[in-house]
Amino acid sequence: MNAAEIYKLSRLAIFWLSVTFGAVWVACWGVGVFIPSLITGKMPFLLQVDNPSTTVVFIADLLRSLTPILSLLVFIPINAMFMVLFERRSLALFTVRMGPNRHGFDGLAQTAADAVKLLFKEDITPRGADAFMFTLAPIIFFAPSIFGALPLLAAVTNNHDLFKVANLPTGIFYILAAASIPVVALVMAGWASNNKYSLVGGLRSAAQAISYEIPLVLSLVTMCLLAGTLDVVEIVEQQKGGILNWNILGGGALSGYDKLAPYWLNLVDTSFDTSAMFGQFYPVPWLSSIMAFVLVICTVLLFGLYLTGACAEINRIPFDLPEAESELVSGYNTEYSGIKFAIFFLAEFTNLFVVSSIATVMFLGGGDNPIPKWILDRLPLEPISNALGSLLSPLIKDLMFIDPATFWAAFWVIVKVYSIVFFAILVRGTLPRFRIDQLMDFGWKRLIPLALILFVVVVFARTWVVCHG
Amino acid sequence: MEFVNVQELVSTGVAEALAFYFIAALAITLSIGVISDKNVIRAGFLLIGVFGGISGLFFLLQAQFIALAQVMIYAVGITLVVVIALMLTNPRLQNEEAEEEAIASSEPALLKFLDSIRNGFPGLVAWIAFVTVYMAIRSEHWEQSTQTIGEDNIAVIGRALTTDYSLPFEFASVLLLAALIGAIMLAKAEKVEDTDTPREGIESGSN
């Protein structure tokens, strides 16, 4: 193992993550908390009026409701810069190369420079291209990743007041519908470029996305069935209380064990009648426990299925046939240059982030602490948290700069999401590309039947066990 | 008009009416584009926009589930497949059309007249359909329900589909299955013929 390179990679990740989320945090706080409280709280005092006028109150509320979109607009470009650099350095680590390490301090500013270079490049529209659709394609590709991610915001910030506005009862279905739109843009880009390579890339991406959307959606549908709701915030809420409650481990099939573990481990009063409680979670004596185990296996498989489908959906290696550079130059974006190419690039990395967040919310418990509650209660964390609270109280109470509940939720979400991103990069560094017939066979003959079987198994196994829903 | 928060502004009738007229105008413009655009692939992409507009109308009616299904199935799924099928068709179709027109202009007057009737037929059907739908919308006394829409209308739809309307739902799914199998059979038919003829020859030879 190359310890020095791993150290450099983690230093890079920590630096860029602090930059990214620091900027998002400041933007959200400024627009969502500081300016509204300034104009409604302090302005009347300065102008010597008793109450702020309705116009001012309205403007304050408008700013608050714009915060979700603003946070995404700040987040997406910085995040894409980080992810490109992270991917290049990680790949360099996996393949024992150096990676970009010159620009800025140890290559930290490499992608920022790349972004500036891309923006200054000439924007070329090839002759014979359909100019209108050529311009429209990157926009359609990029826009869904902004408004599709909106319902996720409430889920990953522990339902913070500022992000509640964007929550929908159809949550996950809305996100999936938004995630299916970029395919149109790929076909459009391929066709409008007036280039055979682009056209083939666009057609391939459509065939691939339509095939792999089925296992992807089926896996999420099965999770919704276990949860009994489509609302992402509610799904996250159900999974609270440690790793045993997460959807990846049976969608709540183990939560009975989680609740009973402290009694069995003699951590609390042992005179409690555990068998009655056990019967409440697992009604049929032996069958229920077996079915809980079956559910755990099913959900782990579904998680794998989701990751595979998501990888294909966002055209990442090993499913990057639409932009296979050895066959198609660069696929659907062959003819794009300058800012349009930058938008394609931006959207691709944002999509990677969005599918990782969906995985985090649907399978990995969202902003939940992985340590079960009964272990957490035993740890002497209270003095530490009290000390931290009193130290940061001016920030928490007076300025409302930190909301502890949101802060920890966001922290765990960041850890989980970037772990999945790192896993995707690891897969990219490990697996070769599929051939188109292998891709179709794998999708239609393996993944879709597997997804259907898992769906049926979960439907039956669920009747014996008390799950989240 | 003074509003305290954004929720109030959005839920006023004026905002809703404005949104409706905007989306309706967009959908109508795009659908005119679909039938008037000479380039058939462009027309296909415009059709995706039309379905997006219709989904917006469903959103205004607070039918989120149908709106999203509209986007996912009609706008992206079906129309995209149609567009891809169009891309694989012969681009010379347009030239053939022009040739046909050239032939038509050199025909005798009576044939020309009959041709014009034949060409006008789809338009006539379209007009009849339009008038029928228009009359149906205008004449019927539509019931106006004062019932508010529940938060969980997806649950209501799901329950209705699996209880009261399970039979029509099953009928629809069987019909779709039959269509699917039929399509596969039609697509396969040619191939079987091609491979069968030489095979028969071989078989007869061996006999």
Side-chain angles (χ1 to χ4, degrees):
Chain A
M1 291 301 283
N2 193 344
E5 284 298 311
I6 293 173
Y7 163 69
K8 278 180 188 167
L9 184 69
S10 29
R11 190 176 61 188
L12 176 151
I14 290 167
F15 171 78
W16 268 99
L17 282 176
S18 352
V19 169
T20 314
F21 289 97
V24 173
W25 205 281
V26 167
C28 286
W29 176 75
V31 176
V33 179
F34 180 67
I35 299 177
S37 77
L38 188 75
I39 59 175
T40 54
K42 294 283 187 289
M43 283 272 276
F45 174 72
L46 290 179
L47 299 172
Q48 289 167 5
V49 202
D50 285 341
N51 285 314
S53 67
T54 41
T55 326
V56 169
V57 176
F58 177 73
I59 290 171
D61 195 64
L62 187 70
L63 284 176
R64 258 186 234 119
S65 53
L66 284 179
T67 319
I69 293 179
L70 181 89
S71 68
L72 282 174
L73 288 178
V74 172
F75 170 73
I76 285 171
I78 310 180
N79 172 59
M81 282 198 275
F82 161 59
M83 269 156 99
V84 173
L85 188 60
F86 186 57
E87 178 153 15
R88 289 179 66 184
R89 285 303 288 264
S90 312
L91 280 177
L93 179 67
F94 301 146
T95 51
V96 203
R97 290 181 288 112
M98 296 305 282
N101 61 357
R102 294 295 173 90
H103 204 90
F105 178 69
D106 192 39
L108 286 182
Q110 176 68 46
T111 42
D114 283 347
V116 172
K117 180 199 76 178
L118 263 182
L119 294 186
F120 280 109
K121 269 190 169 179
E122 190 189 351
D123 180 22
I124 302 163
T125 306
R127 189 183 300 150
D130 190 326
F132 177 67
M133 298 218 317
F134 189 75
T135 317
L136 196 63
I139 300 169
I140 293 182
F141 193 62
F142 183 56
S145 55
I146 295 181
F147 63 76
L150 278 177
L152 283 174
L153 281 175
V156 299
T157 52
N158 208 355
N159 210 3
H160 192 278
D161 279 341
L162 281 176
F163 299 112
K164 253 182 200 162
V165 220
N167 191 23
L168 286 168
T170 39
I172 192 71
F173 191 45
Y174 174 84
I175 298 166
L176 285 174
S180 67
I181 295 175
V183 191
V184 177
L186 296 191
V187 177
M188 203 185 253
W191 181 76
S193 301
N194 192 29
N195 178 325
K196 294 241 162 40
Y197 293 122
S198 301
L199 184 62
V200 173
L203 291 181
R204 273 185 180 186
S205 84
Q208 177 180 324
I210 287 170
S211 321
Y212 279 78
E213 203 163 332
I214 301 166
L216 176 88
V217 171
L218 273 175
S219 70
L220 290 181
V221 161
T222 316
M223 294 326 289
C224 290
L225 188 94
L226 279 172
T229 176
L230 291 173
D231 189 347
V232 275
V233 173
E234 213 167 306
I235 289 172
V236 169
E237 201 72 19
Q238 285 171 351
Q239 301 178 60
K240 274 200 174 140
I243 193 166
L244 290 175
N245 284 326
W246 291 0
N247 275 344
I248 190 174
L249 292 177
L254 293 180
S255 54
Y257 285 104
D258 179 52
K259 288 217 171 55
L260 291 168
Y263 299 106
W264 288 336
L265 297 173
N266 294 328
L267 296 177
V268 281
D269 180 23
T270 43
S271 63
F272 186 78
D273 182 19
T274 50
S275 62
M277 204 172 160
F278 191 74
Q280 197 188 331
F281 281 101
Y282 304 101
V284 188
W286 278 103
L287 195 61
S288 291
S289 294
I290 296 170
M291 284 308 170
F293 187 63
V294 169
L295 275 178
V296 173
I297 295 174
C298 284
T299 42
V300 171
L301 283 175
L302 283 169
F303 183 58
L305 208 59
Y306 172 78
L307 286 186
T308 316
C311 234
E313 186 81 2
I314 56 171
N315 305 325
R316 278 191 67 86
I317 288 177
F319 302 104
D320 70 331
L321 285 144
E323 40 194 315
E325 62 278 315
S326 55
E327 307 155 29
L328 294 179
V329 188
S330 161
Y332 55 85
N333 57 23
T334 304
E335 295 290 353
Y336 282 88
S337 62
I339 188 156
K340 287 175 193 159
F341 179 76
I343 291 175
F344 267 114
F345 218 61
L346 206 64
E348 255 173 53
F349 280 92
T350 311
N351 284 342
L352 175 59
F353 183 83
V354 169
V355 295
S356 310
S357 331
I358 296 173
T360 307
V361 164
M362 295 299 290
F363 291 95
L364 300 180
D368 187 39
N369 195 325
I371 306 164
K373 201 171 175 300
W374 42 275
I375 296 178
L376 211 60
D377 287 345
R378 308 282 295 171
L379 298 174
L381 288 177
E382 209 154 305
I384 300 174
S385 66
N386 281 345
L388 263 179
S390 60
L391 192 70
L392 298 173
S393 67
L395 283 182
I396 295 172
K397 289 219 180 72
D398 303 340
L399 290 172
M400 292 184 290
F401 192 63
I402 297 173
D403 178 17
T406 306
F407 177 79
W408 287 110
F411 174 77
W412 285 112
V413 165
I414 292 166
V415 169
K416 288 169 189 174
V417 168
Y418 283 97
S419 308
I420 297 175
V421 169
F422 184 74
F423 177 71
I425 298 169
L426 188 64
V427 168
R428 179 179 173 171
T430 318
L431 293 180
R433 185 182 297 134
F434 275 102
R435 225 170 43 219
I436 186 86
D437 58 320
Q438 290 171 335
L439 178 97
M440 285 294 151
D441 274 6
F442 186 61
W444 285 96
K445 294 181 183 165
R446 305 277 187 285
L447 293 186
I448 294 177
L450 179 67
L452 283 171
I453 291 167
L454 287 176
F455 178 75
V456 174
V457 170
V458 165
V459 167
F460 281 101
R462 191 189 185 286
T463 55
W464 308 104
V465 188
V466 177
C467 293
H468 284 325
Chain B
M1 282 189 288
E2 300 259 297
F3 302 106
V4 181
N5 58 31
V6 179
Q7 204 83 39
E8 255 174 57
L9 174 73
V10 175
S11 58
T12 51
V14 180
E16 206 180 294
L18 277 180
F20 169 77
Y21 284 120
F22 176 72
I23 295 172
L26 189 75
I28 291 171
T29 320
L30 285 175
S31 48
I32 290 171
V34 173
I35 48 174
S36 63
D37 205 318
K38 283 278 181 238
N39 189 331
V40 78
I41 291 167
R42 262 181 98 126
F45 281 121
L46 286 176
L47 189 62
I48 293 176
V50 175
F51 283 126
I54 290 168
S55 138
L57 290 182
F58 278 124
F59 255 117
L60 274 186
L61 294 170
Q62 310 210 355
Q64 280 186 16
F65 180 80
I66 303 175
L68 296 172
Q70 182 85 20
V71 168
M72 211 168 171
I73 296 166
Y74 285 98
V76 179
I78 294 175
T79 320
L80 194 66
V81 172
V82 172
V83 168
I84 290 168
L86 287 175
M87 281 181 187
L88 298 175
T89 54
N90 202 338
R92 278 176 302 167
L93 272 178
Q94 287 170 2
N95 301 345
E96 279 172 23
E97 234 168 61
E99 274 169 33
E100 246 174 50
E101 270 170 29
I103 292 167
S105 60
S106 61
E107 276 171 353
L110 184 64
L111 265 180
K112 234 184 223 174
F113 175 67
L114 286 175
D115 247 19
S116 70
I117 288 176
R118 199 191 64 187
N119 291 339
F121 191 66
L124 187 70
V125 171
W127 267 110
I128 290 171
F130 174 74
V131 169
T132 315
V133 172
Y134 183 76
M135 300 275 273
I137 291 171
R138 291 311 295 256
S139 66
E140 194 81 24
H141 292 287
W142 294 93
E143 230 176 86
Q144 276 202 338
S145 166
T146 49
Q147 216 177 332
T148 50
I149 301 155
E151 274 286 295
D152 53 345
N153 55 29
I154 312 159
V156 175
I157 292 174
R159 220 165 282 136
L161 276 183
T162 45
T163 54
D164 292 351
Y165 300 98
S166 58
L167 198 64
F169 183 69
E170 285 301 318
F171 268 127
S173 67
V174 168
L175 180 72
L176 285 177
L177 183 69
L180 210 64
I181 295 171
I184 292 170
M185 286 309 290
L186 281 177
K188 265 202 159 171
E190 266 177 70
K191 240 184 187 174
V192 172
E193 268 172 36
D194 282 346
T195 49
D196 266 9
T197 33
R199 203 176 285 160
E200 271 173 10
I202 293 163
E203 273 167 2
S204 62
S206 66
N207 285 338

